[in-house]
Amino acid sequence: MLHRPSAGRRVLCSDATAAPLVEASHSGTSHRSNGTSYQGKGRLGPGYQLPPPEIAEIVDAPSQPSLSFSPDRTKVLQMYRPPPNPPISELARPELKLAGLRLDASMWSRSRMGYYTGLALVDMTDDLLVPAPSEKETRITGYPEGSWLNYVVWSDDSRHLAFTIRSPDPGAREPLEMWVADVQTGQARPLLQGADASLQSNRLNSIFEDFTWIDKDLIAATFIPEDRGEPPAKPLVPIGPRVEDNSEGKTAAGRTYTDLLKNEYDADLLEYYSTSQLGLIQVETGEVERIGPPRMYSAVSPSPDAQWMLVSWMERPFSFNVPCGRFPLRVQLWTRTGAFVREVAYLPLAEDIPIAFNSCRKGPRSLGWRDDRPAELTWIECQDGGDPGVDVSPRDIIFTLPAAAAAEGAAPSQFATTDLRAGGVAWGTDDLALVYQSWWKTRQSIISTIRPGRPEEGLKVLFDRNFEDAYGDPGSPATRRTSMGTYVLAVLEGSRKLLMQGLGASTEGNKPFLDILDVDSGETERLWQSSPPHFEYTGSLLCDLHDKPIRLDTLSLLKSRETPLDPPQFYIQSWDAPGQPPKERQLSQFPHPYPSVRDHQKEILRYKRADGIDLTATLYLPPKYNQERDGPLPCILWAYPREFKSKDAAGQLRKSPYQFTGIGPTSPLLWLAKGWAVLEGPAMPIVAEGDEEPNDTYLQQLGDSARAAVEEVKRRGVADPNRIAVGGHSYGAFMAANLLAHAPDLFACGIARSGAYNRTLTPFGFQAEERTLWEATETYINMSPYLQAHKIQKPLLLIHGEDDNNAGTHTMQSERFYAALKGHGAPCRMVLLPHESHGYTARESVMHMLAEQDAWMEKYCPAPSPASAPSDDGSSPHSNGSPSNGSGPAATAAAAGEVRSRL
């Protein structure tokens, strides 16, 4: 039966008895955050619905401010955030979809930008707790009240904050304005004081670049060119056919990219909107010096000493087959005043990069500045043509070239060579840097030391390991800030010793650590490690001012602490002397974001798959749940498969029982508030050792993993085997559909969001599959639930964004899968969310998606009768302690019939 869709979203349902969306009978919620308010009133608009109030309340939890330390560590910037989900009117703004980009033409920027609603500075005192009360804040003022703020950046001397503003009124959007605030007074002013800031040519073109500090007094920015004129007019009739030519027979396989250019009109639009004028702005005077001609500038990178600039821009010819990241690119070295010095690289159109992992573009890549030198260029060049199938040694060469030498016409120097694909260099001192290389096929990762002052001595292997092995991960080196504003390895004074930070994965769960690593001997000393009942991890160093040496007796850093029930809080941890325990003081005091489910129960489960592989999952049970009293619950299993080359690595535990339970606006954990059990992230490893390919046994391994997870929650008595739903997003949606086709006895229903179901529509690889459809035809066909639609009889809810921009998950995947299911009489329902991409962000969309999912789960995994044993507070079981007043699971299921005829 085809239901007539309501305005605002498309809903199709092939099950005549399937419960239409339940319209919540409550008055909704409202919440205010930093001056912005969104209201919910039972319905969000024509066709949009709210989920039950206990779920909507969590989704609408206020956002806490983001924090940023000033470079001199004397101030903390509190950046106030809006409500977590914007209104659908924001997503409904016109978009240009060009060459993999989505643009807002009226703002000359990327569309769908986040923003801040306000900024406030607080002094970094010994008793500071953030968020700080208003009496301790210095609010940034002077800009138009209610403006939305973007691109907030400190100056290197900590005296100024630069940012952009835009209007919150969707009908009054113009290109971004630049502002700068004095940190001491909080007073902001338009940066372009010496010009008419209302002129469009003094507004930013932020499609590729926005602005960057050159030094404490100078900012480089990309502006809309003067006399830009009107955008190209769309031809009333086609000027000719679209023609693509491969008559020379070149091999150019490509993934299923979205939003590509379709014709020459699209190409003209891209050139029009991405063309900008580069300019230098004096911060004190607001004077602007325009440098270079208008071009499609993509990046401006000043040297650490602020005397040189790397400037890159995109050029024609464009392509209809790949996104703009593969279009021709030119990179030049300029002086800080914009004078041309030398062309560093020209990268032609790259349509022929192989689809295999470890493939790369020919020519210089990772081109930038050494962080440890005032002005020295560095880049990597492949020696295999970018094709990992070519056997060559070395595979990559890392080059360096001082800017002054480049100006004299000098050739680059060979810094290091690698036989695996080079990943880059972590610079430190003349005596120590780290070179990274890895190889996907073998999961090999090599980290080597090198002396940059004597590169001819070559590389010395520090770690050679399988990067899938979480238990053997030595961590990553901490970095410290330099006086040039760059970050380099945090080397302990007078040594070749590094501070290493890692998650500390183990059979007992993650236990983050801080180690001292002697790179010459390979020996480590454990300086600190997280321990129960907390989950803690270390972050940025706070003792790295003005190039001060890093010493153990003055070491201090930022640390985060959380528990399963309490959200992360920041601490400052410091050491007074080696061998002594660290001191700490609390820096933040954020409230619990969703107190209604604070006292939920959490446990990491361990069990085995039929083939002996160890598996783990996190089981969440609702607050006040008592197994003896309440019995087995309806349960949702939410997962995402992963590929491995090692059974041992596949069975490793990669989580902690002591981490805080964060609940995002689309999380399955929202159903804890409805009294459900949630099995989140049960391991679904797809393993193939040696030369085997994981996906050749995907279905068998997927089914065995799911069966082991279901058997475990059944064995524990916490999940009703007749009321288990399976769900996932993206590759997890693909998983859910396959499980309903090949293991239908395990689940009562399924939810699949933004998935791909027909692998013949992603013929040049997907996920970790490197083979093409023509190389592994049987695997592609067997893995496609679309081609197994006749086997699916359990109810399946399909949800997809109408503007999905993720490679491989085009909205057509759900549309065609729904048609196939409907054609075979499967109970199914499809919901297409207008204007949404691969993930869902608008409040109306998120709430409606949750309402659809809740109604589906309540219909096919209905709650038990309220006549069951009461909870200790007298309320019905599985109602999260709330009286049976029309908002619990049973009432929600009953309410479905009240609105069935209307929908």
Side-chain angles (χ1 to χ4, degrees), residues 65-87:
S66 299
L67 305 177
S68 174
F69 282 89
S70 62
D72 64 7
R73 307 295 195 261
T74 63
K75 302 279 187 181
V76 177
L77 177 65
Q78 298 182 157
M79 299 177 283
Y80 292 99
R81 297 187 292 165
N85 297 108

Side-chain angles (χ1 to χ4, degrees), residues 749-831:
C749 65
I751 300 102
R753 302 194 316 221
S754 296
Y757 311 103
N758 183 353
R759 286 302 166 197
T760 69
L761 297 179
T762 57
F764 288 103
F766 58 91
Q767 207 68 10
E769 179 58 69
E770 296 181 283
R771 299 169 297 174
T772 70
L773 168 64
W774 299 272
E775 294 170 324
T777 305
E778 186 176 352
T779 297
Y780 273 67
I781 290 175
N782 290 341
M783 287 182 68
S784 297
Y786 171 80
L787 300 176
Q788 310 297 325
H790 60 292
K791 296 181 180 179
I792 297 178
Q793 295 302 315
K794 291 294 179 70
L796 180 59
L797 173 63
L798 300 172
I799 302 176
H800 218 120
E802 281 194 333
D803 287 328
D804 195 324
N805 61 346
N806 182 56
T809 56
H810 192 278
T811 309
M812 174 179 61
Q813 289 273 2
S814 284
E815 293 174 316
R816 292 190 177 180
F817 189 33
Y818 170 78
L821 292 170
K822 179 183 175 184
H824 288 89
C828 56
R829 183 177 176 91
M830 181 176 69
V831 180

Side-chain angles (χ1 to χ4, degrees), residues 64-65 82 105 144 191-192 302 306 360 397 410 527 546 557 560 578-579 587 615 627 630 655 677 741 746 845:
Q64 295 302 312
L191 188 52
L192 304 175
C360 66
I397 300 178
L527 195 58
H546 313 301
L557 45 75
S560 180
L587 182 61
L615 301 179
Q627 182 177 349
D630 301 328
K655 56 190 74 173
L746 297 179
S845 302

Side-chain angles (χ1 to χ4, degrees), residues 708-774:
V710 169
E711 290 299 325
E712 181 64 16
V713 291
K714 286 168 55 179
R715 183 185 68 80
R716 290 171 172 265
V718 296
D720 184 338
N722 296 315
R723 295 187 291 156
I724 299 178
V726 63
H729 189 94
S730 194
Y731 205 53
F734 175 72
M735 170 209 73
N738 265 313
L739 286 174
L740 291 193
H742 301 283
D745 59 306
L746 297 179
F747 303 104
C749 65
I751 300 102
R753 302 194 316 221
S754 296
Y757 311 103
N758 183 353
R759 286 302 166 197
T760 69
L761 297 179
T762 57
F764 288 103
F766 58 91
Q767 207 68 10
E769 179 58 69
E770 296 181 283
R771 299 169 297 174
T772 70
L773 168 64
W774 299 272

